[in-house]
Amino acid sequence: MSTSAAREELLGDLLAASHLITLEQLPGLVARHAARAGWPDVLIYLADLQQQMLHLLTERGPRAMYGPARQVRADRPAELRVEGTVAGRAFQLGTIVPANAAGGGQWWVPLVNGTERMGVLRVEAPTDPALPRDLRNLASLVALLLVSKRGTSDTYSRLVRRRDMNVAAEMEWRLMPPRTFATDRVLISAVMEPAYEVSGDVFDYGITGDTVHLAIFDAMGHDTAAGLTANLALAACRNHRRQRSGMLRTAAAVEHALATQFDNSRYATGILADLNLTSGALRWTSCGHPAPVIIRGGRTALSLYCPPSTPLGTDLEPSPSLCHDQLEPGDRLLLYTDGITEARNPEGQEFGLDRFTDFLIRRHSDGLPLPETLRRLIRRHLDYHHGRLDDDATVLLVEWHGPTPYHRDQVEALAGLPSPSHHPID
């Protein structure tokens, strides 16, 4: 059997064998089938929740809870840093890279589900013309298998957490859509901190035909009650949006759900928005929330305006207004919570809207994948606050390509996907 045929058979065999296994059994299953196709060593590394470390997935499960990393073997480190490692470079840039400068023999391959970054594979494989395509296909299948198993696996959650998580954060991370999503006309990416103590921030998006529905909520407080408020707001929003209620009726339904449940004692600010992918028309409403910002041409930040209304759950006037704006091709729409702009560092200085947008404008020309730009933004935000945030900080960023679709290479580079058409060399 030819090498190409063996690799194609590998994918089918892996898929067939995956139905009755647990997440812990996946590394061994992948390694055994890959060896038969001429890849004698395949390792799976998963990124932690904050995307600072890459952790080895083994059949023995994760290391002891939050203890020192266990070295499985000298050549198989239990964890690797995203910053300053070759594996981390593959993760950050979404490119297949050789494991050492000599090239050939061992490769780091981005592990991506759709456009959601999950980690990297380390694959031992000889160089040949079909290798980029075959490595990408293997990584794509492994990512799909991971996603199919992680929802019922505590092992996955333990592996990607570096410390204990509070109850509110437990609720919210289970509710969130993937942090990155793309089609041929739009790319959506989000970040949320403090990852293990987030309480009142939630974001959402969904697509119906040519419309992208967007939402972000910021519930009052920093406790479990804030998490319950945010979860109820998001659930009510999704429920009425899926009933085709219209934006203002959906906002009114969220208002009613919060006011009824909490007797006007809890509230949430929020933005609801619809973006037409064909025309770039943006309809949105603000419920006591900071207005969205558009970054245009990679160099100008434009704040949108809508008549102010009160937060949801207060049962006060004025009611939200429906506002309209027009995006231009290449615009980046930013929805964010005030924990990004208004939180103060120990010296009493705000991070501020200007610092927030200036970072994104300066990084626009770097050519980094959009999820990596946001990862670096939140790292910068944490550094500014000396690693401690007193308020949730969330950013939901949407880039609209325009009425014509992205070229495949464009959207893959923007999302951080390894190209199957280029050889994996620097």
Side-chain angles (χ1 to χ4, degrees):
M1 183 184 295
S2 69
T3 299
S4 177
R7 291 175 183 173
E8 290 179 7
E9 188 175 280
L10 156 68
L11 301 180
D13 289 347
L14 259 180
L15 189 59
S18 69
H19 296 294
L20 300 177
I21 66 167
T22 64
L23 184 93
E24 291 91 340
Q25 293 171 307
L26 184 60
L29 182 72
V30 171
R32 288 192 299 274
H33 282 76
R36 295 183 196 133
W39 293 337
D41 193 29
V42 177
L43 302 178
I44 301 171
Y45 283 84
L46 300 176
D48 74 288
L49 189 60
Q50 294 177 301
Q51 299 183 337
Q52 298 182 52
M53 303 294 296
L54 298 163
H55 301 285
L56 179 63
L57 177 63
T58 74
E59 291 183 287
R60 291 185 293 275
R63 66 194 186 282
M65 289 290 285
Y66 320 126
R70 181 181 67 238
Q71 295 295 97
V72 180
R73 266 178 30 187
D75 63 335
R76 298 184 177 194
E79 61 182 32
L80 295 162
R81 291 190 175 278
V82 169
E83 304 288 349
T85 66
V86 180
R89 184 182 178 200
F91 177 81
Q92 292 177 69
L93 303 184
T95 57
I96 300 171
V97 296
N100 55 68
Q106 202 173 85
W107 310 94
W108 288 106
V109 187
L111 193 58
V112 184
N113 173 49
T115 52
E116 179 192 9
R117 303 193 300 181
M118 300 184 70
V120 292
L121 294 184
R122 197 189 77 181
V123 182
E124 188 174 319
T127 304
D128 63 64
L131 187 62
R133 180 201 65 201
D134 291 340
L135 290 178
R136 173 166 161 154
N137 289 344
L138 175 64
S140 296
L141 180 58
V142 171
L144 287 172
L145 297 180
L146 283 165
V147 170
S148 74
K149 304 298 177 183
R150 70 180 177 184
T152 55
S153 171
D154 285 349
T155 292
Y156 186 93
S157 297
R158 289 170 179 168
L159 186 65
V160 301
R161 297 179 188 182
R162 304 191 68 213
R163 61 178 184 269
D164 292 327
M165 178 178 286
N166 68 22
V167 173
E170 188 78 51
M171 289 190 295
E172 294 189 19
W173 283 114
R174 296 288 279 185
L175 190 68
M176 294 303 121
R179 281 180 280 185
T180 303
F181 176 83
T183 72
D184 61 355
R185 291 184 181 174
V186 69
L187 191 143
I188 303 168
S189 195
V191 287
M192 191 164 67
E193 285 284 351
Y196 298 95
E197 293 88 26
V198 66
S199 52
D201 281 10
V202 288
F203 66 87
D204 192 30
Y205 58 84
I207 295 182
T208 305
D210 287 333
T211 301
V212 177
H213 307 286
L214 306 164
I216 191 167
F217 296 102
D218 181 0
M220 66 170 287
H222 308 288
D223 53 12
T224 304
L228 291 169
T229 305
N231 273 250
L232 180 56
L234 185 49
C237 176
R238 283 177 176 169
N239 179 257
H240 286 269
R241 186 186 78 208
R242 290 165 181 170
Q243 295 178 39
R244 302 180 178 88
S245 293
M247 192 177 298
L248 294 183
R249 286 180 60 193
T250 297
V254 176
E255 164 78 34
H256 177 74
L258 296 182
T260 301
Q261 181 65 39
F262 299 111
D263 195 24
N264 303 121
S265 65
R266 311 287 308 186
Y267 65 83
T269 67
I271 296 281
L272 304 180
D274 287 347
L275 173 63
N276 186 293
L277 295 180
T278 300
S279 67
L282 179 70
R283 299 186 311 132
W284 64 284
T285 188
S286 173
C287 304
H289 198 86
V293 171
I294 291 174
I295 294 182
R296 179 159 293 165
R299 59 183 182 274
T300 305
L302 306 172
S303 293
L304 303 185
Y305 174 77
C306 201
S309 66
T310 54
L312 298 160
T314 58
D315 233 359
L316 299 172
E317 298 292 339
S319 299
S321 302
L322 188 61
C323 296
H324 301 265
D325 285 280
Q326 180 63 46
L327 267 60
E328 296 180 2
D331 276 353
R332 290 182 170 180
L333 174 69
L334 301 174
L335 277 62
Y336 60 94
T337 61
D338 59 13
I340 282 284
T341 55
E342 296 180 10
R344 297 180 180 273
N345 65 12
E347 289 75 38
Q349 300 170 321
E350 290 185 349
F351 192 72
L353 181 60
D354 289 344
R355 187 176 278 106
F356 169 43
T357 56
D358 182 62
F359 181 95
L360 295 174
I361 288 170
R362 286 186 289 109
R363 292 294 178 271
H364 186 275
S365 61
D366 293 347
L368 293 172
L370 196 54
E372 179 60 20
T373 296
L374 288 188
R375 189 188 75 86
R376 296 186 184 195
L377 167 68
I378 211 69
R379 297 272 70 75
R380 174 72 182 89
H381 187 65
L382 284 167
D383 289 345
Y384 185 82
H385 293 282
H386 300 189
R388 180 178 178 82
L389 299 180
D390 294 325
D391 193 9
D392 299 343
T394 301
V395 180
L396 180 62
L397 191 157
V398 181
E399 176 166 321
W400 181 59
H401 183 256
T404 58
Y406 289 104
H407 187 277
R408 179 173 173 172
D409 287 346
Q410 285 180 300
V411 71
E412 287 179 345
L414 190 60
L417 297 179
S419 172
S421 61
H422 293 89
H423 203 276
I425 58 175
D426 287 337

